[in-house]
Amino acid sequence: MATVLVASNRGPVSYVLGEDGELDARRGGGGLVSGLSAVSQDSQDSLWVCAALGEGDREAVRRGVGEPGVRMLDIAPDVYADAYNGIANSVLWFLHHHLYDIPREPVFDAEFRRRWEAYRSYNRAFAEALAAEAAEGAAALVQDYHLALVPGMLRDLRPDLRIAHFTHTPWASPEYLRMLPDDVREELLWGMLGADELGFHTWGWASAFVSGASMDGAAGSAQGLWRSGDPWRGVEHMRHGSEKAHTRVRAYPLGVDADELRALAHRPEVDERLARLREEVGDRKTIVRVDRTELSKNILRGLLAYRELLTTHPEWRERVVHLASAYPSRQDLEVYRAYTTAVGTLASEINSEFGTADWQPVLVSVRDDFTRSLAAYRLADVALVNPVRDGMNLVAKEIPVVSEAGCALVLSREAGAYEELREDALTVNPFDVSETAEALHTALSMPPTERADRTERLAAAATALPPQRWFLNQLEALREPS
């Protein structure tokens, strides 16, 4: 039985089924994988519960193939599709990022209810797996909006466990949260409040949760607790109709592992890609952005701001190149396919309007190319990070860590990273294209010494809570007495 358990939609390993019938295991990366490696050092009895995402994963489950410490759940494909795309990505993601086109969306009808039942079933599968695998008094750390109902379900199944949930997105404002049908909103909050500890990237998102949970009638008359000087906030609420309970809410601003990132950024293949980019860019300055073509990332307004920069400050024409990496995201959703197309179209329009025989203003890559991204990081003079709303945004932290000459950071005030980086960034309203264009001009004009000094301070802030420490801090907090 496991004493430390992690639950997330995507696990640390995936399987690809080859034409010869063999399964090829591929190890994932990122903060969670690094964090669990720290947990494994802390405890030999750790387990990661995740979903089988593709046919290779499902075949691995059927054959009983797997890595020690990982349990994949083979959830029915139709249930998974309705839970993942129908609710998590089409409802909760839009809700927490404030992305709805309000005159048209959302619509909560019978089809939504059917998909919500799938989301409930998907969460129940995780809760039952965790309950079956956990030792007495074990710590269970549940990850993200895909699994928001798990803490409440798990609490009912195993009241002896210590349960935490971390949300990697923002949390919806109380006004947005109230768009949900009352019973669904209460079920969502009930699920989250089943945890002993709730984590968010910033106090802004944590406060939004506490405010939403404290609405009249929500989650059994939940009440926010705010104590000056405490390293946490709290929500007092009722479980099972009469049992008073208390959930602590904290902020854990995930940072960057500087040594690992710099090592990745200086591999030979990155050096080769950097050399090719330098040939394309020449001696011009660079504005770098790296994003998925995710609606919340605000790529279109970023391109519009660049176009306005070239219009209002023509002195930058032929002296700057915008290196934009826009990885396709969620292309099974039509709205994302349309957005990806719009990004490419606008980039082409800018190149047609301003480009010359010797200068292409925008060099855009619309495929997943981590090597190119790391090369662009090293080349960056200016980093543009302008999401309309973002749980953290690690790109804002990564570029200052590896930029070779130092970079000026143009940063949206709606990014979670804003709380830590605002003093040394050029901060903007992400909806204000003109302000963003002027911030780009200021960034490009910044003296090298000032840029280097700001970059040094940005990198220090960005690495303050690297992934392993971020994860262990949550585990240690969960083990604290109530």
Side-chain angles (χ1 to χ4, degrees), residues 99-120:
L99 292 177
Y100 278 125
D101 178 8
I102 298 300
R104 297 177 177 85
E105 302 171 310
V107 175
F108 298 123
D109 54 9
E111 178 62 13
F112 162 77
R113 294 284 178 174
R114 186 188 68 78
R115 291 173 175 171
W116 183 258
E117 178 55 40
Y119 180 77
R120 186 184 292 131

PDB file of all heavy atoms in Angstrom, residues 99-120:
ATOM      1  N   LEU A  99     -12.979  32.938 -20.570  1.00  0.00           N
ATOM      2  CA  LEU A  99     -12.871  32.949 -22.023  1.00  0.00           C
ATOM      3  C   LEU A  99     -14.209  32.937 -22.755  1.00  0.00           C
ATOM      4  O   LEU A  99     -14.231  33.002 -23.984  1.00  0.00           O
ATOM      5  CB  LEU A  99     -12.059  31.735 -22.493  1.00  0.00           C
ATOM      6  CG  LEU A  99     -10.577  31.722 -22.127  1.00  0.00           C
ATOM      7  CD1 LEU A  99      -9.938  30.416 -22.600  1.00  0.00           C
ATOM      8  CD2 LEU A  99      -9.853  32.914 -22.740  1.00  0.00           C
ATOM      9  N   TYR A 100     -15.300  32.839 -22.041  1.00  0.00           N
ATOM     10  CA  TYR A 100     -16.580  32.688 -22.717  1.00  0.00           C
ATOM     11  C   TYR A 100     -16.955  33.917 -23.544  1.00  0.00           C
ATOM     12  O   TYR A 100     -16.727  35.066 -23.139  1.00  0.00           O
ATOM     13  CB  TYR A 100     -17.697  32.427 -21.705  1.00  0.00           C
ATOM     14  CG  TYR A 100     -17.793  30.985 -21.266  1.00  0.00           C
ATOM     15  CD1 TYR A 100     -17.734  30.641 -19.921  1.00  0.00           C
ATOM     16  CD2 TYR A 100     -17.960  29.962 -22.192  1.00  0.00           C
ATOM     17  CE1 TYR A 100     -17.838  29.321 -19.514  1.00  0.00           C
ATOM     18  CE2 TYR A 100     -18.063  28.647 -21.798  1.00  0.00           C
ATOM     19  CZ  TYR A 100     -18.004  28.327 -20.461  1.00  0.00           C
ATOM     20  OH  TYR A 100     -18.096  27.022 -20.057  1.00  0.00           O
ATOM     21  N   ASP A 101     -17.525  33.663 -24.717  1.00  0.00           N
ATOM     22  CA  ASP A 101     -18.169  34.686 -25.536  1.00  0.00           C
ATOM     23  C   ASP A 101     -19.585  34.821 -24.991  1.00  0.00           C
ATOM     24  O   ASP A 101     -20.506  34.115 -25.411  1.00  0.00           O
ATOM     25  CB  ASP A 101     -18.166  34.230 -27.003  1.00  0.00           C
ATOM     26  CG  ASP A 101     -18.859  35.214 -27.927  1.00  0.00           C
ATOM     27  OD1 ASP A 101     -19.203  36.324 -27.468  1.00  0.00           O
ATOM     28  OD2 ASP A 101     -19.060  34.872 -29.110  1.00  0.00           O
ATOM     29  N   ILE A 102     -19.764  35.730 -24.029  1.00  0.00           N
ATOM     30  CA  ILE A 102     -20.945  35.740 -23.170  1.00  0.00           C
ATOM     31  C   ILE A 102     -22.279  35.790 -23.933  1.00  0.00           C
ATOM     32  O   ILE A 102     -23.237  35.116 -23.537  1.00  0.00           O
ATOM     33  CB  ILE A 102     -20.864  36.904 -22.153  1.00  0.00           C
ATOM     34  CG1 ILE A 102     -19.635  36.707 -21.242  1.00  0.00           C
ATOM     35  CG2 ILE A 102     -22.129  36.990 -21.299  1.00  0.00           C
ATOM     36  CD1 ILE A 102     -19.650  35.432 -20.448  1.00  0.00           C
ATOM     37  N   PRO A 103     -22.418  36.560 -25.008  1.00  0.00           N
ATOM     38  CA  PRO A 103     -23.718  36.533 -25.695  1.00  0.00           C
ATOM     39  C   PRO A 103     -24.104  35.156 -26.237  1.00  0.00           C
ATOM     40  O   PRO A 103     -25.286  34.893 -26.458  1.00  0.00           O
ATOM     41  CB  PRO A 103     -23.522  37.528 -26.849  1.00  0.00           C
ATOM     42  CG  PRO A 103     -22.459  38.448 -26.375  1.00  0.00           C
ATOM     43  CD  PRO A 103     -21.531  37.579 -25.576  1.00  0.00           C
ATOM     44  N   ARG A 104     -23.118  34.281 -26.425  1.00  0.00           N
ATOM     45  CA  ARG A 104     -23.393  32.961 -27.000  1.00  0.00           C
ATOM     46  C   ARG A 104     -23.098  31.803 -26.050  1.00  0.00           C
ATOM     47  O   ARG A 104     -23.686  30.727 -26.190  1.00  0.00           O
ATOM     48  CB  ARG A 104     -22.553  32.766 -28.269  1.00  0.00           C
ATOM     49  CG  ARG A 104     -22.881  33.745 -29.381  1.00  0.00           C
ATOM     50  CD  ARG A 104     -21.953  33.533 -30.571  1.00  0.00           C
ATOM     51  NE  ARG A 104     -22.278  34.409 -31.681  1.00  0.00           N
ATOM     52  CZ  ARG A 104     -21.848  35.653 -31.812  1.00  0.00           C
ATOM     53  NH1 ARG A 104     -21.050  36.168 -30.886  1.00  0.00           N
ATOM     54  NH2 ARG A 104     -22.194  36.388 -32.848  1.00  0.00           N
ATOM     55  N   GLU A 105     -22.217  31.999 -25.106  1.00  0.00           N
ATOM     56  CA  GLU A 105     -21.769  30.920 -24.235  1.00  0.00           C
ATOM     57  C   GLU A 105     -21.709  31.397 -22.790  1.00  0.00           C
ATOM     58  O   GLU A 105     -21.510  32.591 -22.553  1.00  0.00           O
ATOM     59  CB  GLU A 105     -20.359  30.452 -24.648  1.00  0.00           C
ATOM     60  CG  GLU A 105     -20.233  29.984 -26.068  1.00  0.00           C
ATOM     61  CD  GLU A 105     -18.765  29.763 -26.417  1.00  0.00           C
ATOM     62  OE1 GLU A 105     -17.946  30.675 -26.169  1.00  0.00           O
ATOM     63  OE2 GLU A 105     -18.448  28.679 -26.924  1.00  0.00           O
ATOM     64  N   PRO A 106     -21.847  30.467 -21.854  1.00  0.00           N
ATOM     65  CA  PRO A 106     -22.079  29.032 -21.995  1.00  0.00           C
ATOM     66  C   PRO A 106     -23.554  28.688 -22.144  1.00  0.00           C
ATOM     67  O   PRO A 106     -24.429  29.531 -21.871  1.00  0.00           O
ATOM     68  CB  PRO A 106     -21.537  28.477 -20.674  1.00  0.00           C
ATOM     69  CG  PRO A 106     -21.810  29.589 -19.689  1.00  0.00           C
ATOM     70  CD  PRO A 106     -21.617  30.870 -20.450  1.00  0.00           C
ATOM     71  N   VAL A 107     -23.833  27.455 -22.545  1.00  0.00           N
ATOM     72  CA  VAL A 107     -25.185  26.915 -22.627  1.00  0.00           C
ATOM     73  C   VAL A 107     -25.198  25.625 -21.833  1.00  0.00           C
ATOM     74  O   VAL A 107     -24.518  24.664 -22.197  1.00  0.00           O
ATOM     75  CB  VAL A 107     -25.607  26.651 -24.088  1.00  0.00           C
ATOM     76  CG1 VAL A 107     -26.974  25.972 -24.139  1.00  0.00           C
ATOM     77  CG2 VAL A 107     -25.608  27.942 -24.893  1.00  0.00           C
ATOM     78  N   PHE A 108     -25.937  25.606 -20.752  1.00  0.00           N
ATOM     79  CA  PHE A 108     -25.986  24.422 -19.889  1.00  0.00           C
ATOM     80  C   PHE A 108     -27.322  23.713 -20.106  1.00  0.00           C
ATOM     81  O   PHE A 108     -28.339  24.075 -19.514  1.00  0.00           O
ATOM     82  CB  PHE A 108     -25.794  24.814 -18.426  1.00  0.00           C
ATOM     83  CG  PHE A 108     -24.455  25.448 -18.160  1.00  0.00           C
ATOM     84  CD1 PHE A 108     -24.348  26.707 -17.596  1.00  0.00           C
ATOM     85  CD2 PHE A 108     -23.292  24.784 -18.514  1.00  0.00           C
ATOM     86  CE1 PHE A 108     -23.111  27.292 -17.360  1.00  0.00           C
ATOM     87  CE2 PHE A 108     -22.047  25.360 -18.297  1.00  0.00           C
ATOM     88  CZ  PHE A 108     -21.957  26.613 -17.717  1.00  0.00           C
ATOM     89  N   ASP A 109     -27.293  22.726 -20.987  1.00  0.00           N
ATOM     90  CA  ASP A 109     -28.492  22.022 -21.409  1.00  0.00           C
ATOM     91  C   ASP A 109     -28.382  20.536 -21.087  1.00  0.00           C
ATOM     92  O   ASP A 109     -27.506  20.124 -20.303  1.00  0.00           O
ATOM     93  CB  ASP A 109     -28.719  22.247 -22.912  1.00  0.00           C
ATOM     94  CG  ASP A 109     -27.495  21.866 -23.749  1.00  0.00           C
ATOM     95  OD1 ASP A 109     -26.542  21.265 -23.182  1.00  0.00           O
ATOM     96  OD2 ASP A 109     -27.487  22.153 -24.961  1.00  0.00           O
ATOM     97  N   ALA A 110     -29.248  19.736 -21.686  1.00  0.00           N
ATOM     98  CA  ALA A 110     -29.246  18.302 -21.395  1.00  0.00           C
ATOM     99  C   ALA A 110     -27.928  17.651 -21.812  1.00  0.00           C
ATOM    100  O   ALA A 110     -27.438  16.726 -21.144  1.00  0.00           O
ATOM    101  CB  ALA A 110     -30.422  17.631 -22.114  1.00  0.00           C
ATOM    102  N   GLU A 111     -27.326  18.125 -22.919  1.00  0.00           N
ATOM    103  CA  GLU A 111     -26.054  17.564 -23.360  1.00  0.00           C
ATOM    104  C   GLU A 111     -24.957  17.861 -22.343  1.00  0.00           C
ATOM    105  O   GLU A 111     -24.112  17.012 -22.054  1.00  0.00           O
ATOM    106  CB  GLU A 111     -25.673  18.139 -24.725  1.00  0.00           C
ATOM    107  CG  GLU A 111     -24.336  17.662 -25.265  1.00  0.00           C
ATOM    108  CD  GLU A 111     -24.255  16.169 -25.499  1.00  0.00           C
ATOM    109  OE1 GLU A 111     -25.315  15.484 -25.481  1.00  0.00           O
ATOM    110  OE2 GLU A 111     -23.132  15.665 -25.683  1.00  0.00           O
ATOM    111  N   PHE A 112     -24.971  19.068 -21.777  1.00  0.00           N
ATOM    112  CA  PHE A 112     -24.011  19.392 -20.717  1.00  0.00           C
ATOM    113  C   PHE A 112     -24.191  18.443 -19.534  1.00  0.00           C
ATOM    114  O   PHE A 112     -23.209  17.935 -18.978  1.00  0.00           O
ATOM    115  CB  PHE A 112     -24.190  20.839 -20.265  1.00  0.00           C
ATOM    116  CG  PHE A 112     -23.573  21.132 -18.927  1.00  0.00           C
ATOM    117  CD1 PHE A 112     -22.200  21.308 -18.798  1.00  0.00           C
ATOM    118  CD2 PHE A 112     -24.360  21.198 -17.783  1.00  0.00           C
ATOM    119  CE1 PHE A 112     -21.623  21.550 -17.555  1.00  0.00           C
ATOM    120  CE2 PHE A 112     -23.787  21.444 -16.539  1.00  0.00           C
ATOM    121  CZ  PHE A 112     -22.427  21.621 -16.434  1.00  0.00           C
ATOM    122  N   ARG A 113     -25.449  18.193 -19.149  1.00  0.00           N
ATOM    123  CA  ARG A 113     -25.698  17.306 -18.004  1.00  0.00           C
ATOM    124  C   ARG A 113     -25.162  15.902 -18.278  1.00  0.00           C
ATOM    125  O   ARG A 113     -24.600  15.250 -17.386  1.00  0.00           O
ATOM    126  CB  ARG A 113     -27.194  17.250 -17.709  1.00  0.00           C
ATOM    127  CG  ARG A 113     -27.796  18.561 -17.236  1.00  0.00           C
ATOM    128  CD  ARG A 113     -27.454  18.842 -15.805  1.00  0.00           C
ATOM    129  NE  ARG A 113     -27.995  20.132 -15.357  1.00  0.00           N
ATOM    130  CZ  ARG A 113     -27.934  20.567 -14.116  1.00  0.00           C
ATOM    131  NH1 ARG A 113     -27.360  19.814 -13.190  1.00  0.00           N
ATOM    132  NH2 ARG A 113     -28.402  21.745 -13.783  1.00  0.00           N
ATOM    133  N   ARG A 114     -25.326  15.428 -19.516  1.00  0.00           N
ATOM    134  CA  ARG A 114     -24.813  14.108 -19.854  1.00  0.00           C
ATOM    135  C   ARG A 114     -23.291  14.075 -19.719  1.00  0.00           C
ATOM    136  O   ARG A 114     -22.719  13.119 -19.177  1.00  0.00           O
ATOM    137  CB  ARG A 114     -25.229  13.762 -21.289  1.00  0.00           C
ATOM    138  CG  ARG A 114     -24.858  12.336 -21.704  1.00  0.00           C
ATOM    139  CD  ARG A 114     -25.116  12.109 -23.182  1.00  0.00           C
ATOM    140  NE  ARG A 114     -24.214  12.889 -24.024  1.00  0.00           N
ATOM    141  CZ  ARG A 114     -22.954  12.562 -24.257  1.00  0.00           C
ATOM    142  NH1 ARG A 114     -22.409  11.488 -23.696  1.00  0.00           N
ATOM    143  NH2 ARG A 114     -22.211  13.320 -25.040  1.00  0.00           N
ATOM    144  N   ARG A 115     -22.635  15.132 -20.182  1.00  0.00           N
ATOM    145  CA  ARG A 115     -21.180  15.193 -20.089  1.00  0.00           C
ATOM    146  C   ARG A 115     -20.721  15.363 -18.647  1.00  0.00           C
ATOM    147  O   ARG A 115     -19.684  14.826 -18.245  1.00  0.00           O
ATOM    148  CB  ARG A 115     -20.657  16.341 -20.953  1.00  0.00           C
ATOM    149  CG  ARG A 115     -20.820  16.088 -22.443  1.00  0.00           C
ATOM    150  CD  ARG A 115     -20.462  17.300 -23.262  1.00  0.00           C
ATOM    151  NE  ARG A 115     -20.514  17.010 -24.698  1.00  0.00           N
ATOM    152  CZ  ARG A 115     -20.411  17.921 -25.638  1.00  0.00           C
ATOM    153  NH1 ARG A 115     -20.244  19.206 -25.319  1.00  0.00           N
ATOM    154  NH2 ARG A 115     -20.473  17.583 -26.910  1.00  0.00           N
ATOM    155  N   TRP A 116     -21.496  16.106 -17.866  1.00  0.00           N
ATOM    156  CA  TRP A 116     -21.134  16.255 -16.450  1.00  0.00           C
ATOM    157  C   TRP A 116     -21.179  14.914 -15.737  1.00  0.00           C
ATOM    158  O   TRP A 116     -20.345  14.635 -14.869  1.00  0.00           O
ATOM    159  CB  TRP A 116     -22.048  17.265 -15.764  1.00  0.00           C
ATOM    160  CG  TRP A 116     -21.660  17.506 -14.330  1.00  0.00           C
ATOM    161  CD1 TRP A 116     -22.251  17.007 -13.220  1.00  0.00           C
ATOM    162  CD2 TRP A 116     -20.551  18.299 -13.876  1.00  0.00           C
ATOM    163  NE1 TRP A 116     -21.596  17.434 -12.081  1.00  0.00           N
ATOM    164  CE2 TRP A 116     -20.547  18.225 -12.457  1.00  0.00           C
ATOM    165  CE3 TRP A 116     -19.581  19.055 -14.519  1.00  0.00           C
ATOM    166  CZ2 TRP A 116     -19.602  18.887 -11.676  1.00  0.00           C
ATOM    167  CZ3 TRP A 116     -18.634  19.718 -13.732  1.00  0.00           C
ATOM    168  CH2 TRP A 116     -18.645  19.633 -12.330  1.00  0.00           C
ATOM    169  N   GLU A 117     -22.113  14.077 -16.101  1.00  0.00           N
ATOM    170  CA  GLU A 117     -22.168  12.742 -15.506  1.00  0.00           C
ATOM    171  C   GLU A 117     -20.916  11.950 -15.874  1.00  0.00           C
ATOM    172  O   GLU A 117     -20.378  11.201 -15.054  1.00  0.00           O
ATOM    173  CB  GLU A 117     -23.419  12.000 -15.980  1.00  0.00           C
ATOM    174  CG  GLU A 117     -23.534  10.567 -15.455  1.00  0.00           C
ATOM    175  CD  GLU A 117     -23.474  10.462 -13.935  1.00  0.00           C
ATOM    176  OE1 GLU A 117     -24.058  11.321 -13.250  1.00  0.00           O
ATOM    177  OE2 GLU A 117     -22.814   9.519 -13.430  1.00  0.00           O
ATOM    178  N   ALA A 118     -20.409  12.132 -17.096  1.00  0.00           N
ATOM    179  CA  ALA A 118     -19.157  11.477 -17.477  1.00  0.00           C
ATOM    180  C   ALA A 118     -17.989  12.025 -16.662  1.00  0.00           C
ATOM    181  O   ALA A 118     -17.112  11.274 -16.230  1.00  0.00           O
ATOM    182  CB  ALA A 118     -18.902  11.677 -18.981  1.00  0.00           C
ATOM    183  N   TYR A 119     -17.969  13.334 -16.465  1.00  0.00           N
ATOM    184  CA  TYR A 119     -16.913  13.943 -15.644  1.00  0.00           C
ATOM    185  C   TYR A 119     -16.969  13.382 -14.225  1.00  0.00           C
ATOM    186  O   TYR A 119     -15.933  13.076 -13.617  1.00  0.00           O
ATOM    187  CB  TYR A 119     -17.105  15.461 -15.634  1.00  0.00           C
ATOM    188  CG  TYR A 119     -16.077  16.225 -14.830  1.00  0.00           C
ATOM    189  CD1 TYR A 119     -14.791  16.447 -15.327  1.00  0.00           C
ATOM    190  CD2 TYR A 119     -16.394  16.750 -13.577  1.00  0.00           C
ATOM    191  CE1 TYR A 119     -13.847  17.156 -14.593  1.00  0.00           C
ATOM    192  CE2 TYR A 119     -15.463  17.460 -12.838  1.00  0.00           C
ATOM    193  CZ  TYR A 119     -14.195  17.664 -13.348  1.00  0.00           C
ATOM    194  OH  TYR A 119     -13.268  18.371 -12.619  1.00  0.00           O
ATOM    195  N   ARG A 120     -18.174  13.207 -13.717  1.00  0.00           N
ATOM    196  CA  ARG A 120     -18.342  12.645 -12.380  1.00  0.00           C
ATOM    197  C   ARG A 120     -17.817  11.203 -12.340  1.00  0.00           C
ATOM    198  O   ARG A 120     -17.111  10.803 -11.405  1.00  0.00           O
ATOM    199  CB  ARG A 120     -19.824  12.698 -12.000  1.00  0.00           C
ATOM    200  CG  ARG A 120     -20.142  12.276 -10.580  1.00  0.00           C
ATOM    201  CD  ARG A 120     -21.641  12.271 -10.346  1.00  0.00           C
ATOM    202  NE  ARG A 120     -22.203  13.610 -10.366  1.00  0.00           N
ATOM    203  CZ  ARG A 120     -23.283  13.974 -11.066  1.00  0.00           C
ATOM    204  NH1 ARG A 120     -23.896  13.088 -11.832  1.00  0.00           N
ATOM    205  NH2 ARG A 120     -23.741  15.197 -10.993  1.00  0.00           N
TER     206      ARG A 120
END
